[in-house]
Amino acid sequence: MKVLSGTSNIKLSKDIAKKLNLKLVNTNIRRFNDGEIYVEINENIRGNTIFVVQSSSNPANDNLMELLICIDALRRSSAKNITAVIPYFGYARQDRKVVPRTAISAKLVSNLITNAGANRILTLDLHAGQIQGFFDIPVDNLFATPIFARHIKKNIKKNNLVCVSPDVGGAERARALGRRINAGIAIVDKRRPAQGKSEVMNIVGYVKNKTCIIVDDIIDSGGTIVNAAKALKEKGAKDVYVYITHAVLSGDAVEKIKKSQVSKLFITDSIDNSNKIKKSNKIQVISIASMLAEAMKRISNSTSVSSLFK
Ligand code: R5P
């Protein structure tokens, strides 16, 4: 078993390798002057089970292309098995035709990864679970919920908790977290008047005098979370804490969170945000390295991955 890292999140790859007592595969990844990506593997990997860790986060296209080229290099170097470990699977929000004459980019990306030569996918909180079906190779989709539940139990010692989904689509995620921390749920009825904009229409559930825990898969512009926190406070919520798996944090999202009614935003390290959040004491990172390392170990040993969540 060997771990090769793309360049999107080297810190996470190193943390995973450390948990597995491994060194990252010696690789040379660089760009030519015109932006083309060059990957060279500097050690023998013939017959090995290889995990290539790369999030297709911003710059999404470069990082995706780098993943494809790494997989191609591994396949041509006679690796026995290649698992693409994609902590953040970009393009996942384009999983259907919302309006006519658009691409289903999540399916296209799945085809590209499979055709490059991946034998298996390991990912985390896919935006839509059914993307697993876009692949004809096995997909292990891990969940951050157990990590969040443990963190809440340890750090947010308040009674009267309620888990809040910031949109109807995330209700299942809020319910799963609620079950683990023994809390009820509320749902924000969110509308998107235009791409990248969100409006709160209503709140379903009782939040007055409660400590709200918003849980979501992605924070991008921050609009959804900022608006949800404002609406919850207007309905009498005491505090608003937020747990997000994938912190895309585009544009001025960090600044927006800073000025918002959010008490604290907890994100995972599926995307490397170390520079962006350096100056924000409202945003804290919870690592997923242990969970990914454990899942990789189990895949390599052909033991159950789903039992990680029982
Ligand atoms: C949408 O369905 C996702 O789960 C997130 O709620 C969304 O991507 C967040 O976007 P933003 O932070 O730009 O409002």
Side-chain angles (χ1 to χ4, degrees):
M1 169 183 187
K2 289 188 175 178
V3 182
L4 183 149
S5 179
T7 59
S8 71
N9 196 343
I10 295 172
K11 161 109 180 41
L12 176 63
S13 303
K14 281 186 178 160
D15 291 348
I16 292 170
K18 199 168 164 197
K19 306 259 174 214
L20 293 166
N21 276 326
L22 294 172
K23 270 194 185 151
L24 292 175
V25 170
N26 184 345
T27 315
N28 178 11
I29 302 178
R30 55 189 171 84
R31 303 279 189 272
F32 290 114
N33 289 339
D34 61 356
E36 282 185 11
I37 298 163
Y38 174 79
V39 174
E40 185 180 351
I41 299 166
N42 297 322
E43 61 185 85
N44 179 30
I45 48 127
R46 190 178 291 272
N48 286 136
T49 293
I50 306 276
F51 294 84
V52 48
V53 184
Q54 174 83 331
S55 279
S56 38
S57 51
N58 189 13
N61 301 327
D62 274 17
N63 285 334
L64 173 63
M65 197 63 205
E66 199 182 282
L67 172 65
L68 299 175
I69 295 176
C70 284
I71 294 171
D72 190 67
L74 288 166
R75 186 167 55 88
R76 292 175 195 281
S77 311
S78 306
K80 189 167 108 201
N81 273 298
I82 305 165
T83 298
V85 182
I86 313 174
Y88 170 63
F89 187 91
Y91 281 101
R93 285 174 284 180
Q94 297 182 50
D95 59 338
R96 65 199 183 286
K97 288 173 77 165
V98 182
V99 291
R101 297 181 296 282
T102 53
I104 303 181
S105 309
K107 170 63 179 156
L108 173 65
V109 168
S110 311
N111 286 347
L112 291 171
I113 296 170
T114 309
N115 291 336
N119 304 107
R120 173 183 289 273
I121 306 294
L122 174 62
T123 186
L124 173 70
D125 277 334
L126 272 177
H127 177 64
Q130 57 271 30
I131 291 173
Q132 290 170 80
F134 291 1
F135 289 94
D136 282 328
I137 52 175
V139 177
D140 290 303
N141 180 29
L142 307 181
F143 305 102
T145 314
I147 297 178
F148 290 164
R150 239 174 294 149
H151 190 273
I152 293 165
K153 281 185 193 158
K154 197 164 160 211
N155 297 283
I156 303 186
K157 294 192 177 105
K158 300 199 180 178
N159 298 324
N160 246 348
L161 294 180
V162 61
C163 285
V164 181
S165 170
D167 53 35
V168 177
E172 198 186 321
R173 193 175 292 113
R175 193 167 295 120
L177 183 63
R179 247 196 317 266
R180 285 183 185 260
I181 62 169
N182 237 335
I185 70 162
I187 299 168
V188 177
D189 175 17
K190 174 180 97 173
R191 204 178 64 127
R192 280 211 186 273
Q195 211 172 21
K197 289 212 163 109
S198 69
E199 265 175 27
V200 172
M201 306 304 288
N202 223 326
I203 288 175
V204 184
Y206 193 69
V207 298
K208 194 164 180 196
N209 293 326
K210 301 231 177 194
T211 294
C212 294
I213 311 278
I214 301 181
V215 61
D216 205 357
D217 60 335
I218 299 172
I219 181 167
D220 188 342
S221 68
T224 299
I225 293 304
V226 169
N227 293 343
K230 183 167 172 263
L232 290 168
K233 282 280 189 154
E234 280 167 7
K235 290 276 181 191
K238 237 192 313 180
D239 293 299
V240 179
Y241 294 91
V242 183
Y243 284 79
I244 306 274
T245 311
H246 308 298
V248 173
L249 292 175
S250 60
D252 60 350
V254 172
E255 197 56 29
K256 271 195 210 151
I257 291 295
K258 195 171 159 194
K259 292 184 189 146
S260 75
Q261 316 239 22
V262 170
S263 299
K264 202 114 199 171
L265 165 64
F266 299 98
I267 57 176
T268 79
D269 48 359
S270 68
I271 298 173
D272 183 6
N273 279 299
S274 30
N275 282 332
K276 268 191 211 165
I277 63 168
K278 226 184 257 164
K279 289 186 192 138
S280 173
N281 50 15
K282 248 194 195 183
I283 307 180
Q284 204 177 302
V285 177
I286 306 171
S287 184
I288 50 163
S290 294
M291 182 174 63
L292 283 173
E294 182 59 33
M296 286 155 70
K297 207 191 299 172
R298 289 176 185 215
I299 290 169
S300 174
N301 295 337
S302 297
T303 54
S304 167
V305 171
S306 67
S307 61
L308 254 176
F309 300 101
K310 290 199 177 124

